[in-house]
Amino acid sequence: MRKKVTVVGAGNVGATVAMRVAEKGLADVVLVDIIEGVPAGKALDLAEAAPIEKHDSRLTGITGDYNEAKDSDIVIITAGIPRKPGMSRDDLLATNMGIMSSVVKEIAAVAPNSILIIVSNPLDAMCHMALDTSGFANNRVIGMAGILDSARFRAFIAMELDVSVENTHAFVLGGHGDTMVPLPRYSTVAGIPITELMSSERIDALVERTRNGGAEIVGLLKTGSAYYAPASAAVEMAETILKDKKKILPCAVYLEGEYGIKDLFIGVPVKLGENGVEDIIQIKLTDDEQKALNNSAEAVKTLVDDMKRLGG
Ligand code: APR
């Protein structure tokens, strides 16, 4: 059976996700947007690249009508507005919560067995909206953040030490925002903790750059936010699920007491497979790390409460 991935939002992140899913030959792709013509145009453009890129994924673009998304295996939701300079991810809340709820209602009706990968910001709050609106089990609503944040940390570690990115491994916990918690002692180069390879001042500088990684790009682009790395991260999640790889990846998932956090989406290491989140990996944190994670959870909770006040 051919696999189907629906990508909602045919903007910068969505179109890049569609391209990578197709070029990796992972599945057929349905691109959905509210703008007339754009998803169809981008899907056709990508389909015309297929003979050169050598893949047989079928690409379709639709506006408004979700029938094409019927029985999707995975739905990646990127619909919403991105940040502009001076905005935090949280400033997107009021607009994107309405978009998320309307999209998820449509998806739940046509693809009730799908796994949702949420990309729209503010990420952790959007995951709550998607879980509540869909009525899906917790293991089938997963937020993309930790892979992106740790990829940024890995890129900065590789630049700093002049080593291959392939040798790097990094661990970032917490919400996708200024309170994210990079864990240097679990971040390694060829298995060696970076705490053995860099001064604590340099590590602090890289951690700070990782926390501000999204804002750094918004500041440079000026008209929107990052999309190449966010798309790569979402596609890694989709690939892991479609191929039932059982990879351990940091993702935003609904915690029910793990790490002492309850009823909240927050970034932690999980095992991803064909059933979505198949396990939540609990690692022992130091007091400082647990404090930082609690602080991050508090920030997510404030946003979820704001969303409820706004009627979400
Ligand atoms: N249904 C479908 N698509 C929608 C809807 C909706 N209800 N509302 C908006 N969109 C579409 C827009 O028309 C646009 O094409 O979502 C797309 C968003 O694309 P961009 O503006 O290019 O934004 P992008 O950079 O892709 O970011 C999307 O991902 O990383 C996050 O913070 C980012 O929340 C933002 C999201």
Side-chain angles (χ1 to χ4, degrees):
M1 257 276 274
R2 298 180 72 92
K3 299 276 187 188
K4 191 195 279 186
V5 172
T6 290
V7 183
V8 188
N12 283 333
V13 180
T16 313
V17 165
M19 183 177 82
R20 297 227 163 100
V21 169
E23 289 181 358
K24 281 172 167 261
L26 296 180
D28 292 339
V29 181
V30 179
L31 201 48
V32 188
D33 206 285
I34 38 165
I35 304 176
E36 194 63 53
V38 166
K42 291 192 180 180
L44 183 59
D45 196 6
L46 287 167
E48 289 167 359
I52 307 167
E53 297 299 335
K54 303 182 184 63
H55 67 79
D56 289 297
S57 296
R58 296 175 191 150
L59 291 126
T60 340
I62 51 171
T63 298
D65 172 13
Y66 278 74
N67 273 332
E68 282 286 330
K70 192 172 175 335
D71 296 334
S72 297
D73 297 282
I74 293 184
V75 179
I76 302 178
I77 306 182
T78 77
I81 52 162
R83 281 197 280 175
K84 301 260 163 51
M87 287 172 93
S88 77
R89 291 186 181 90
D90 301 356
D91 294 333
L92 309 173
L93 183 69
T95 307
N96 285 355
M97 61 184 263
I99 295 174
M100 182 59 65
S101 114
S102 68
V103 165
V104 172
K105 265 185 212 136
E106 301 272 8
I107 290 297
V110 296
N113 299 316
S114 57
I115 291 173
L116 306 182
I117 297 177
I118 310 300
V119 181
S120 314
N121 276 310
L123 193 269
D124 311 273
M126 290 305 106
C127 291
H128 275 270
M129 178 57 91
L131 183 75
D132 290 348
T133 312
S134 64
F136 286 7
N138 301 346
N139 60 309
R140 292 200 287 124
V141 179
I142 319 168
M144 186 292 293
I147 301 175
L148 169 62
D149 296 329
S150 49
R152 286 182 171 145
F153 197 20
R154 289 175 63 187
F156 301 147
I157 292 168
M159 289 173 200
E160 177 81 10
L161 296 174
D162 190 24
V163 295
S164 164
V165 288
E166 289 179 40
N167 277 147
T168 62
H169 187 85
F171 231 110
V172 177
L173 298 177
H176 186 47
D178 306 337
T179 57
M180 72 177 76
V181 187
L183 292 190
R185 73 194 173 95
Y186 282 120
S187 302
T188 59
V189 172
I192 307 161
I194 57 167
T195 45
E196 305 282 314
L197 301 169
M198 276 184 240
S199 68
S200 59
E201 290 74 29
R202 286 312 300 154
I203 292 176
D204 289 349
L206 300 195
V207 163
E208 204 41 37
R209 192 170 179 198
T210 302
R211 279 210 183 99
N212 295 323
E216 184 177 359
I217 290 183
V218 171
L220 291 165
L221 296 182
K222 300 198 174 61
T223 52
S225 52
Y227 51 100
Y228 292 118
S232 293
V235 174
E236 179 167 40
M237 292 166 71
E239 180 170 20
T240 304
I241 294 167
L242 289 167
K243 294 184 176 170
D244 191 26
K245 283 173 79 89
K246 320 271 191 212
K247 254 196 202 176
I248 311 286
L249 294 167
C251 299
V253 296
Y254 193 73
L255 296 187
E256 292 175 292
E258 297 88 352
Y259 291 94
I261 296 167
K262 213 169 167 348
D263 303 333
L264 215 55
F265 272 88
I266 198 106
V268 294
V270 297
K271 187 198 281 179
L272 288 191
E274 62 183 350
N275 300 312
V277 179
E278 299 191 349
D279 200 8
I280 294 176
I281 314 294
Q282 296 201 63
I283 52 171
K284 207 166 158 33
L285 299 179
T286 64
D287 288 349
D288 281 350
E289 288 162 354
Q290 183 67 48
K291 220 183 277 164
L293 186 62
N294 292 346
N295 182 32
S296 190
E298 223 18 76
V300 172
K301 182 153 186 343
T302 305
L303 212 55
V304 172
D305 290 344
D306 282 353
M307 189 165 68
K308 288 196 177 125
R309 254 196 305 281
L310 289 165

